[in-house]
Amino acid sequence: FLAMSALSRRRSRRLASATTAAPSPTTPPFRLLDLPTDLLLRALSRCDPADIARVAAVSLLFHASLALEGIRLWAQERGFELP
């Protein structure tokens, strides 16, 4: 038990230091829009339709077809029949 807890502490310290490290100044920041469209749709389909609509009201990208497709996927995954 003690060996496992020491190992997990070392691992968590390593992970913590890796996540708090500053990004390289030459590396551009990662943006949500860099994700593939199908992955964005999957992520949106996990949200409540009201939340998707709120995001669509703020972001022009999501206002386009992403919000509509995200809500459509949400409904299909829950067994709703769509026209």
PDB file of all heavy atoms in Angstrom, residues 43-79:
ATOM      1  N   ALA A  43     -18.964  16.741 -29.139  1.00  0.00           N
ATOM      2  CA  ALA A  43     -18.890  17.480 -27.881  1.00  0.00           C
ATOM      3  C   ALA A  43     -20.169  18.285 -27.652  1.00  0.00           C
ATOM      4  O   ALA A  43     -20.710  18.303 -26.546  1.00  0.00           O
ATOM      5  CB  ALA A  43     -17.673  18.400 -27.891  1.00  0.00           C
ATOM      6  N   LEU A  44     -20.664  18.921 -28.706  1.00  0.00           N
ATOM      7  CA  LEU A  44     -21.901  19.693 -28.580  1.00  0.00           C
ATOM      8  C   LEU A  44     -23.092  18.810 -28.244  1.00  0.00           C
ATOM      9  O   LEU A  44     -23.986  19.213 -27.503  1.00  0.00           O
ATOM     10  CB  LEU A  44     -22.193  20.453 -29.872  1.00  0.00           C
ATOM     11  CG  LEU A  44     -21.485  21.772 -30.062  1.00  0.00           C
ATOM     12  CD1 LEU A  44     -21.815  22.354 -31.419  1.00  0.00           C
ATOM     13  CD2 LEU A  44     -21.841  22.751 -28.969  1.00  0.00           C
ATOM     14  N   SER A  45     -23.117  17.606 -28.791  1.00  0.00           N
ATOM     15  CA  SER A  45     -24.267  16.732 -28.559  1.00  0.00           C
ATOM     16  C   SER A  45     -24.360  16.287 -27.103  1.00  0.00           C
ATOM     17  O   SER A  45     -25.392  15.796 -26.671  1.00  0.00           O
ATOM     18  CB  SER A  45     -24.215  15.516 -29.481  1.00  0.00           C
ATOM     19  OG  SER A  45     -23.215  14.609 -29.073  1.00  0.00           O
ATOM     20  N   ARG A  46     -23.301  16.462 -26.342  1.00  0.00           N
ATOM     21  CA  ARG A  46     -23.313  16.116 -24.915  1.00  0.00           C
ATOM     22  C   ARG A  46     -23.916  17.242 -24.076  1.00  0.00           C
ATOM     23  O   ARG A  46     -24.191  17.070 -22.906  1.00  0.00           O
ATOM     24  CB  ARG A  46     -21.903  15.821 -24.418  1.00  0.00           C
ATOM     25  CG  ARG A  46     -21.211  14.708 -25.149  1.00  0.00           C
ATOM     26  CD  ARG A  46     -21.878  13.383 -24.834  1.00  0.00           C
ATOM     27  NE  ARG A  46     -21.153  12.290 -25.457  1.00  0.00           N
ATOM     28  CZ  ARG A  46     -21.659  11.520 -26.399  1.00  0.00           C
ATOM     29  NH1 ARG A  46     -22.872  11.737 -26.851  1.00  0.00           N
ATOM     30  NH2 ARG A  46     -20.974  10.535 -26.900  1.00  0.00           N
ATOM     31  N   CYS A  47     -24.095  18.400 -24.677  1.00  0.00           N
ATOM     32  CA  CYS A  47     -24.658  19.554 -23.967  1.00  0.00           C
ATOM     33  C   CYS A  47     -26.174  19.576 -24.097  1.00  0.00           C
ATOM     34  O   CYS A  47     -26.746  18.995 -25.007  1.00  0.00           O
ATOM     35  CB  CYS A  47     -24.090  20.852 -24.545  1.00  0.00           C
ATOM     36  SG  CYS A  47     -22.323  21.010 -24.387  1.00  0.00           S
ATOM     37  N   ASP A  48     -26.783  20.276 -23.201  1.00  0.00           N
ATOM     38  CA  ASP A  48     -28.223  20.492 -23.243  1.00  0.00           C
ATOM     39  C   ASP A  48     -28.541  21.407 -24.433  1.00  0.00           C
ATOM     40  O   ASP A  48     -27.769  22.331 -24.720  1.00  0.00           O
ATOM     41  CB  ASP A  48     -28.638  21.158 -21.931  1.00  0.00           C
ATOM     42  CG  ASP A  48     -30.123  21.303 -21.814  1.00  0.00           C
ATOM     43  OD1 ASP A  48     -30.804  20.273 -21.672  1.00  0.00           O
ATOM     44  OD2 ASP A  48     -30.602  22.447 -21.884  1.00  0.00           O
ATOM     45  N   PRO A  49     -29.652  21.180 -25.152  1.00  0.00           N
ATOM     46  CA  PRO A  49     -29.986  22.050 -26.292  1.00  0.00           C
ATOM     47  C   PRO A  49     -30.054  23.538 -25.939  1.00  0.00           C
ATOM     48  O   PRO A  49     -29.679  24.384 -26.753  1.00  0.00           O
ATOM     49  CB  PRO A  49     -31.343  21.523 -26.754  1.00  0.00           C
ATOM     50  CG  PRO A  49     -31.337  20.099 -26.356  1.00  0.00           C
ATOM     51  CD  PRO A  49     -30.580  20.058 -25.056  1.00  0.00           C
ATOM     52  N   ALA A  50     -30.491  23.858 -24.736  1.00  0.00           N
ATOM     53  CA  ALA A  50     -30.533  25.268 -24.334  1.00  0.00           C
ATOM     54  C   ALA A  50     -29.124  25.852 -24.257  1.00  0.00           C
ATOM     55  O   ALA A  50     -28.892  27.005 -24.645  1.00  0.00           O
ATOM     56  CB  ALA A  50     -31.237  25.415 -22.988  1.00  0.00           C
ATOM     57  N   ASP A  51     -28.166  25.057 -23.781  1.00  0.00           N
ATOM     58  CA  ASP A  51     -26.779  25.520 -23.725  1.00  0.00           C
ATOM     59  C   ASP A  51     -26.200  25.683 -25.128  1.00  0.00           C
ATOM     60  O   ASP A  51     -25.447  26.623 -25.395  1.00  0.00           O
ATOM     61  CB  ASP A  51     -25.913  24.548 -22.919  1.00  0.00           C
ATOM     62  CG  ASP A  51     -26.276  24.535 -21.448  1.00  0.00           C
ATOM     63  OD1 ASP A  51     -26.769  25.571 -20.951  1.00  0.00           O
ATOM     64  OD2 ASP A  51     -26.076  23.493 -20.801  1.00  0.00           O
ATOM     65  N   ILE A  52     -26.543  24.772 -26.026  1.00  0.00           N
ATOM     66  CA  ILE A  52     -26.084  24.885 -27.409  1.00  0.00           C
ATOM     67  C   ILE A  52     -26.635  26.164 -28.029  1.00  0.00           C
ATOM     68  O   ILE A  52     -25.932  26.893 -28.728  1.00  0.00           O
ATOM     69  CB  ILE A  52     -26.492  23.648 -28.234  1.00  0.00           C
ATOM     70  CG1 ILE A  52     -25.831  22.389 -27.667  1.00  0.00           C
ATOM     71  CG2 ILE A  52     -26.106  23.829 -29.699  1.00  0.00           C
ATOM     72  CD1 ILE A  52     -26.326  21.096 -28.301  1.00  0.00           C
ATOM     73  N   ALA A  53     -27.892  26.463 -27.753  1.00  0.00           N
ATOM     74  CA  ALA A  53     -28.506  27.684 -28.284  1.00  0.00           C
ATOM     75  C   ALA A  53     -27.832  28.928 -27.712  1.00  0.00           C
ATOM     76  O   ALA A  53     -27.636  29.920 -28.431  1.00  0.00           O
ATOM     77  CB  ALA A  53     -29.997  27.700 -27.963  1.00  0.00           C
ATOM     78  N   ARG A  54     -27.430  28.888 -26.435  1.00  0.00           N
ATOM     79  CA  ARG A  54     -26.735  30.035 -25.839  1.00  0.00           C
ATOM     80  C   ARG A  54     -25.388  30.269 -26.516  1.00  0.00           C
ATOM     81  O   ARG A  54     -25.003  31.399 -26.788  1.00  0.00           O
ATOM     82  CB  ARG A  54     -26.534  29.800 -24.344  1.00  0.00           C
ATOM     83  CG  ARG A  54     -27.782  29.952 -23.537  1.00  0.00           C
ATOM     84  CD  ARG A  54     -27.491  29.825 -22.042  1.00  0.00           C
ATOM     85  NE  ARG A  54     -28.724  29.658 -21.332  1.00  0.00           N
ATOM     86  CZ  ARG A  54     -29.173  28.508 -20.824  1.00  0.00           C
ATOM     87  NH1 ARG A  54     -28.446  27.419 -20.916  1.00  0.00           N
ATOM     88  NH2 ARG A  54     -30.318  28.447 -20.211  1.00  0.00           N
ATOM     89  N   VAL A  55     -24.671  29.181 -26.768  1.00  0.00           N
ATOM     90  CA  VAL A  55     -23.381  29.305 -27.449  1.00  0.00           C
ATOM     91  C   VAL A  55     -23.591  29.843 -28.857  1.00  0.00           C
ATOM     92  O   VAL A  55     -22.836  30.696 -29.324  1.00  0.00           O
ATOM     93  CB  VAL A  55     -22.643  27.946 -27.480  1.00  0.00           C
ATOM     94  CG1 VAL A  55     -21.409  28.010 -28.354  1.00  0.00           C
ATOM     95  CG2 VAL A  55     -22.269  27.523 -26.077  1.00  0.00           C
ATOM     96  N   ALA A  56     -24.621  29.358 -29.538  1.00  0.00           N
ATOM     97  CA  ALA A  56     -24.905  29.809 -30.902  1.00  0.00           C
ATOM     98  C   ALA A  56     -25.230  31.303 -30.932  1.00  0.00           C
ATOM     99  O   ALA A  56     -24.929  31.982 -31.912  1.00  0.00           O
ATOM    100  CB  ALA A  56     -26.052  29.006 -31.492  1.00  0.00           C
ATOM    101  N   ALA A  57     -25.829  31.814 -29.861  1.00  0.00           N
ATOM    102  CA  ALA A  57     -26.167  33.232 -29.814  1.00  0.00           C
ATOM    103  C   ALA A  57     -24.930  34.108 -29.647  1.00  0.00           C
ATOM    104  O   ALA A  57     -24.935  35.268 -30.024  1.00  0.00           O
ATOM    105  CB  ALA A  57     -27.136  33.493 -28.657  1.00  0.00           C
ATOM    106  N   VAL A  58     -23.843  33.524 -29.144  1.00  0.00           N
ATOM    107  CA  VAL A  58     -22.629  34.291 -28.885  1.00  0.00           C
ATOM    108  C   VAL A  58     -21.594  34.131 -29.994  1.00  0.00           C
ATOM    109  O   VAL A  58     -20.950  35.082 -30.392  1.00  0.00           O
ATOM    110  CB  VAL A  58     -22.017  33.858 -27.531  1.00  0.00           C
ATOM    111  CG1 VAL A  58     -20.677  34.507 -27.299  1.00  0.00           C
ATOM    112  CG2 VAL A  58     -22.966  34.172 -26.402  1.00  0.00           C
ATOM    113  N   SER A  59     -21.464  32.930 -30.512  1.00  0.00           N
ATOM    114  CA  SER A  59     -20.399  32.637 -31.469  1.00  0.00           C
ATOM    115  C   SER A  59     -20.954  32.475 -32.874  1.00  0.00           C
ATOM    116  O   SER A  59     -21.873  31.691 -33.102  1.00  0.00           O
ATOM    117  CB  SER A  59     -19.681  31.356 -31.060  1.00  0.00           C
ATOM    118  OG  SER A  59     -18.797  30.938 -32.064  1.00  0.00           O
ATOM    119  N   LEU A  60     -20.373  33.188 -33.827  1.00  0.00           N
ATOM    120  CA  LEU A  60     -20.825  33.082 -35.214  1.00  0.00           C
ATOM    121  C   LEU A  60     -20.574  31.702 -35.791  1.00  0.00           C
ATOM    122  O   LEU A  60     -21.372  31.196 -36.573  1.00  0.00           O
ATOM    123  CB  LEU A  60     -20.130  34.140 -36.079  1.00  0.00           C
ATOM    124  CG  LEU A  60     -20.545  35.574 -35.818  1.00  0.00           C
ATOM    125  CD1 LEU A  60     -19.739  36.524 -36.687  1.00  0.00           C
ATOM    126  CD2 LEU A  60     -22.023  35.763 -36.063  1.00  0.00           C
ATOM    127  N   LEU A  61     -19.463  31.054 -35.400  1.00  0.00           N
ATOM    128  CA  LEU A  61     -19.188  29.714 -35.897  1.00  0.00           C
ATOM    129  C   LEU A  61     -20.285  28.752 -35.465  1.00  0.00           C
ATOM    130  O   LEU A  61     -20.812  27.986 -36.253  1.00  0.00           O
ATOM    131  CB  LEU A  61     -17.837  29.203 -35.391  1.00  0.00           C
ATOM    132  CG  LEU A  61     -17.615  27.720 -35.681  1.00  0.00           C
ATOM    133  CD1 LEU A  61     -17.226  27.521 -37.127  1.00  0.00           C
ATOM    134  CD2 LEU A  61     -16.616  27.123 -34.751  1.00  0.00           C
ATOM    135  N   PHE A  62     -20.647  28.806 -34.186  1.00  0.00           N
ATOM    136  CA  PHE A  62     -21.659  27.895 -33.685  1.00  0.00           C
ATOM    137  C   PHE A  62     -23.050  28.291 -34.164  1.00  0.00           C
ATOM    138  O   PHE A  62     -23.942  27.470 -34.209  1.00  0.00           O
ATOM    139  CB  PHE A  62     -21.613  27.819 -32.162  1.00  0.00           C
ATOM    140  CG  PHE A  62     -20.403  27.108 -31.658  1.00  0.00           C
ATOM    141  CD1 PHE A  62     -19.364  27.792 -31.096  1.00  0.00           C
ATOM    142  CD2 PHE A  62     -20.301  25.732 -31.785  1.00  0.00           C
ATOM    143  CE1 PHE A  62     -18.233  27.132 -30.648  1.00  0.00           C
ATOM    144  CE2 PHE A  62     -19.177  25.063 -31.342  1.00  0.00           C
ATOM    145  CZ  PHE A  62     -18.143  25.768 -30.769  1.00  0.00           C
ATOM    146  N   HIS A  63     -23.219  29.555 -34.514  1.00  0.00           N
ATOM    147  CA  HIS A  63     -24.514  29.998 -35.015  1.00  0.00           C
ATOM    148  C   HIS A  63     -24.817  29.350 -36.357  1.00  0.00           C
ATOM    149  O   HIS A  63     -25.965  29.118 -36.696  1.00  0.00           O
ATOM    150  CB  HIS A  63     -24.546  31.521 -35.154  1.00  0.00           C
ATOM    151  CG  HIS A  63     -25.843  32.043 -35.645  1.00  0.00           C
ATOM    152  ND1 HIS A  63     -26.978  32.012 -34.873  1.00  0.00           N
ATOM    153  CD2 HIS A  63     -26.201  32.587 -36.830  1.00  0.00           C
ATOM    154  CE1 HIS A  63     -27.981  32.527 -35.568  1.00  0.00           C
ATOM    155  NE2 HIS A  63     -27.544  32.878 -36.753  1.00  0.00           N
ATOM    156  N   ALA A  64     -23.765  29.033 -37.102  1.00  0.00           N
ATOM    157  CA  ALA A  64     -23.948  28.387 -38.405  1.00  0.00           C
ATOM    158  C   ALA A  64     -24.475  26.969 -38.181  1.00  0.00           C
ATOM    159  O   ALA A  64     -25.259  26.737 -37.281  1.00  0.00           O
ATOM    160  CB  ALA A  64     -22.622  28.397 -39.149  1.00  0.00           C
ATOM    161  N   SER A  65     -24.071  26.061 -38.958  1.00  0.00           N
ATOM    162  CA  SER A  65     -24.646  24.722 -38.929  1.00  0.00           C
ATOM    163  C   SER A  65     -24.212  23.888 -37.734  1.00  0.00           C
ATOM    164  O   SER A  65     -24.854  22.895 -37.415  1.00  0.00           O
ATOM    165  CB  SER A  65     -24.285  23.985 -40.213  1.00  0.00           C
ATOM    166  OG  SER A  65     -22.895  23.810 -40.290  1.00  0.00           O
ATOM    167  N   LEU A  66     -23.137  24.265 -37.043  1.00  0.00           N
ATOM    168  CA  LEU A  66     -22.685  23.444 -35.920  1.00  0.00           C
ATOM    169  C   LEU A  66     -23.742  23.321 -34.828  1.00  0.00           C
ATOM    170  O   LEU A  66     -23.953  22.243 -34.291  1.00  0.00           O
ATOM    171  CB  LEU A  66     -21.400  24.022 -35.321  1.00  0.00           C
ATOM    172  CG  LEU A  66     -20.095  23.508 -35.880  1.00  0.00           C
ATOM    173  CD1 LEU A  66     -18.922  24.204 -35.206  1.00  0.00           C
ATOM    174  CD2 LEU A  66     -19.968  22.025 -35.755  1.00  0.00           C
ATOM    175  N   ALA A  67     -24.387  24.407 -34.477  1.00  0.00           N
ATOM    176  CA  ALA A  67     -25.402  24.354 -33.425  1.00  0.00           C
ATOM    177  C   ALA A  67     -26.578  23.492 -33.865  1.00  0.00           C
ATOM    178  O   ALA A  67     -27.050  22.636 -33.108  1.00  0.00           O
ATOM    179  CB  ALA A  67     -25.879  25.760 -33.073  1.00  0.00           C
ATOM    180  N   LEU A  68     -27.020  23.677 -35.082  1.00  0.00           N
ATOM    181  CA  LEU A  68     -28.140  22.889 -35.595  1.00  0.00           C
ATOM    182  C   LEU A  68     -27.788  21.402 -35.628  1.00  0.00           C
ATOM    183  O   LEU A  68     -28.560  20.562 -35.167  1.00  0.00           O
ATOM    184  CB  LEU A  68     -28.531  23.372 -36.985  1.00  0.00           C
ATOM    185  CG  LEU A  68     -29.664  22.606 -37.660  1.00  0.00           C
ATOM    186  CD1 LEU A  68     -30.953  22.767 -36.875  1.00  0.00           C
ATOM    187  CD2 LEU A  68     -29.834  23.088 -39.073  1.00  0.00           C
ATOM    188  N   GLU A  69     -26.612  21.084 -36.143  1.00  0.00           N
ATOM    189  CA  GLU A  69     -26.197  19.688 -36.219  1.00  0.00           C
ATOM    190  C   GLU A  69     -25.957  19.102 -34.830  1.00  0.00           C
ATOM    191  O   GLU A  69     -26.227  17.926 -34.592  1.00  0.00           O
ATOM    192  CB  GLU A  69     -24.943  19.546 -37.084  1.00  0.00           C
ATOM    193  CG  GLU A  69     -25.202  19.787 -38.544  1.00  0.00           C
ATOM    194  CD  GLU A  69     -26.275  18.859 -39.119  1.00  0.00           C
ATOM    195  OE1 GLU A  69     -26.237  17.653 -38.841  1.00  0.00           O
ATOM    196  OE2 GLU A  69     -27.145  19.354 -39.831  1.00  0.00           O
ATOM    197  N   GLY A  70     -25.446  19.908 -33.905  1.00  0.00           N
ATOM    198  CA  GLY A  70     -25.250  19.437 -32.529  1.00  0.00           C
ATOM    199  C   GLY A  70     -26.565  19.085 -31.863  1.00  0.00           C
ATOM    200  O   GLY A  70     -26.681  18.057 -31.203  1.00  0.00           O
ATOM    201  N   ILE A  71     -27.573  19.923 -32.043  1.00  0.00           N
ATOM    202  CA  ILE A  71     -28.895  19.643 -31.468  1.00  0.00           C
ATOM    203  C   ILE A  71     -29.527  18.437 -32.162  1.00  0.00           C
ATOM    204  O   ILE A  71     -30.137  17.578 -31.521  1.00  0.00           O
ATOM    205  CB  ILE A  71     -29.801  20.884 -31.557  1.00  0.00           C
ATOM    206  CG1 ILE A  71     -29.259  21.970 -30.623  1.00  0.00           C
ATOM    207  CG2 ILE A  71     -31.246  20.543 -31.210  1.00  0.00           C
ATOM    208  CD1 ILE A  71     -29.941  23.303 -30.745  1.00  0.00           C
ATOM    209  N   ARG A  72     -29.351  18.328 -33.469  1.00  0.00           N
ATOM    210  CA  ARG A  72     -29.886  17.180 -34.215  1.00  0.00           C
ATOM    211  C   ARG A  72     -29.253  15.875 -33.717  1.00  0.00           C
ATOM    212  O   ARG A  72     -29.942  14.893 -33.474  1.00  0.00           O
ATOM    213  CB  ARG A  72     -29.634  17.365 -35.704  1.00  0.00           C
ATOM    214  CG  ARG A  72     -30.194  16.261 -36.580  1.00  0.00           C
ATOM    215  CD  ARG A  72     -29.958  16.551 -38.051  1.00  0.00           C
ATOM    216  NE  ARG A  72     -30.543  17.815 -38.470  1.00  0.00           N
ATOM    217  CZ  ARG A  72     -31.828  17.977 -38.791  1.00  0.00           C
ATOM    218  NH1 ARG A  72     -32.646  16.959 -38.747  1.00  0.00           N
ATOM    219  NH2 ARG A  72     -32.287  19.147 -39.174  1.00  0.00           N
ATOM    220  N   LEU A  73     -27.941  15.888 -33.518  1.00  0.00           N
ATOM    221  CA  LEU A  73     -27.249  14.705 -33.017  1.00  0.00           C
ATOM    222  C   LEU A  73     -27.689  14.383 -31.601  1.00  0.00           C
ATOM    223  O   LEU A  73     -27.889  13.224 -31.244  1.00  0.00           O
ATOM    224  CB  LEU A  73     -25.734  14.923 -33.080  1.00  0.00           C
ATOM    225  CG  LEU A  73     -24.853  13.747 -32.725  1.00  0.00           C
ATOM    226  CD1 LEU A  73     -25.143  12.549 -33.628  1.00  0.00           C
ATOM    227  CD2 LEU A  73     -23.387  14.134 -32.831  1.00  0.00           C
ATOM    228  N   TRP A  74     -27.876  15.412 -30.767  1.00  0.00           N
ATOM    229  CA  TRP A  74     -28.357  15.224 -29.402  1.00  0.00           C
ATOM    230  C   TRP A  74     -29.701  14.495 -29.424  1.00  0.00           C
ATOM    231  O   TRP A  74     -29.921  13.551 -28.681  1.00  0.00           O
ATOM    232  CB  TRP A  74     -28.500  16.591 -28.716  1.00  0.00           C
ATOM    233  CG  TRP A  74     -29.024  16.526 -27.316  1.00  0.00           C
ATOM    234  CD1 TRP A  74     -28.284  16.430 -26.177  1.00  0.00           C
ATOM    235  CD2 TRP A  74     -30.393  16.550 -26.903  1.00  0.00           C
ATOM    236  NE1 TRP A  74     -29.110  16.392 -25.081  1.00  0.00           N
ATOM    237  CE2 TRP A  74     -30.415  16.455 -25.501  1.00  0.00           C
ATOM    238  CE3 TRP A  74     -31.604  16.632 -27.581  1.00  0.00           C
ATOM    239  CZ2 TRP A  74     -31.588  16.459 -24.770  1.00  0.00           C
ATOM    240  CZ3 TRP A  74     -32.773  16.631 -26.842  1.00  0.00           C
ATOM    241  CH2 TRP A  74     -32.764  16.543 -25.457  1.00  0.00           C
ATOM    242  N   ALA A  75     -30.600  14.947 -30.294  1.00  0.00           N
ATOM    243  CA  ALA A  75     -31.933  14.341 -30.376  1.00  0.00           C
ATOM    244  C   ALA A  75     -31.865  12.904 -30.897  1.00  0.00           C
ATOM    245  O   ALA A  75     -32.540  12.015 -30.365  1.00  0.00           O
ATOM    246  CB  ALA A  75     -32.820  15.192 -31.281  1.00  0.00           C
ATOM    247  N   GLN A  76     -31.062  12.666 -31.915  1.00  0.00           N
ATOM    248  CA  GLN A  76     -30.944  11.313 -32.469  1.00  0.00           C
ATOM    249  C   GLN A  76     -30.371  10.342 -31.454  1.00  0.00           C
ATOM    250  O   GLN A  76     -30.827   9.201 -31.354  1.00  0.00           O
ATOM    251  CB  GLN A  76     -30.079  11.329 -33.724  1.00  0.00           C
ATOM    252  CG  GLN A  76     -30.745  11.948 -34.916  1.00  0.00           C
ATOM    253  CD  GLN A  76     -29.805  12.092 -36.102  1.00  0.00           C
ATOM    254  OE1 GLN A  76     -28.596  11.969 -35.960  1.00  0.00           O
ATOM    255  NE2 GLN A  76     -30.380  12.370 -37.264  1.00  0.00           N
ATOM    256  N   GLU A  77     -29.389  10.777 -30.666  1.00  0.00           N
ATOM    257  CA  GLU A  77     -28.781   9.908 -29.665  1.00  0.00           C
ATOM    258  C   GLU A  77     -29.761   9.545 -28.564  1.00  0.00           C
ATOM    259  O   GLU A  77     -29.597   8.546 -27.881  1.00  0.00           O
ATOM    260  CB  GLU A  77     -27.555  10.582 -29.057  1.00  0.00           C
ATOM    261  CG  GLU A  77     -26.369  10.633 -29.984  1.00  0.00           C
ATOM    262  CD  GLU A  77     -25.223  11.442 -29.412  1.00  0.00           C
ATOM    263  OE1 GLU A  77     -25.411  12.168 -28.404  1.00  0.00           O
ATOM    264  OE2 GLU A  77     -24.123  11.368 -29.983  1.00  0.00           O
ATOM    265  N   ARG A  78     -30.799  10.349 -28.396  1.00  0.00           N
ATOM    266  CA  ARG A  78     -31.785  10.089 -27.362  1.00  0.00           C
ATOM    267  C   ARG A  78     -33.083   9.477 -27.901  1.00  0.00           C
ATOM    268  O   ARG A  78     -34.065   9.363 -27.206  1.00  0.00           O
ATOM    269  CB  ARG A  78     -32.066  11.376 -26.601  1.00  0.00           C
ATOM    270  CG  ARG A  78     -30.895  11.712 -25.676  1.00  0.00           C
ATOM    271  CD  ARG A  78     -30.795  13.165 -25.375  1.00  0.00           C
ATOM    272  NE  ARG A  78     -29.645  13.449 -24.530  1.00  0.00           N
ATOM    273  CZ  ARG A  78     -28.398  13.584 -24.978  1.00  0.00           C
ATOM    274  NH1 ARG A  78     -28.141  13.462 -26.255  1.00  0.00           N
ATOM    275  NH2 ARG A  78     -27.406  13.855 -24.154  1.00  0.00           N
ATOM    276  N   GLY A  79     -33.046   9.105 -29.175  1.00  0.00           N
ATOM    277  CA  GLY A  79     -34.165   8.365 -29.771  1.00  0.00           C
ATOM    278  C   GLY A  79     -35.296   9.203 -30.316  1.00  0.00           C
ATOM    279  O   GLY A  79     -36.345   8.660 -30.656  1.00  0.00           O
TER     280      GLY A  79
END
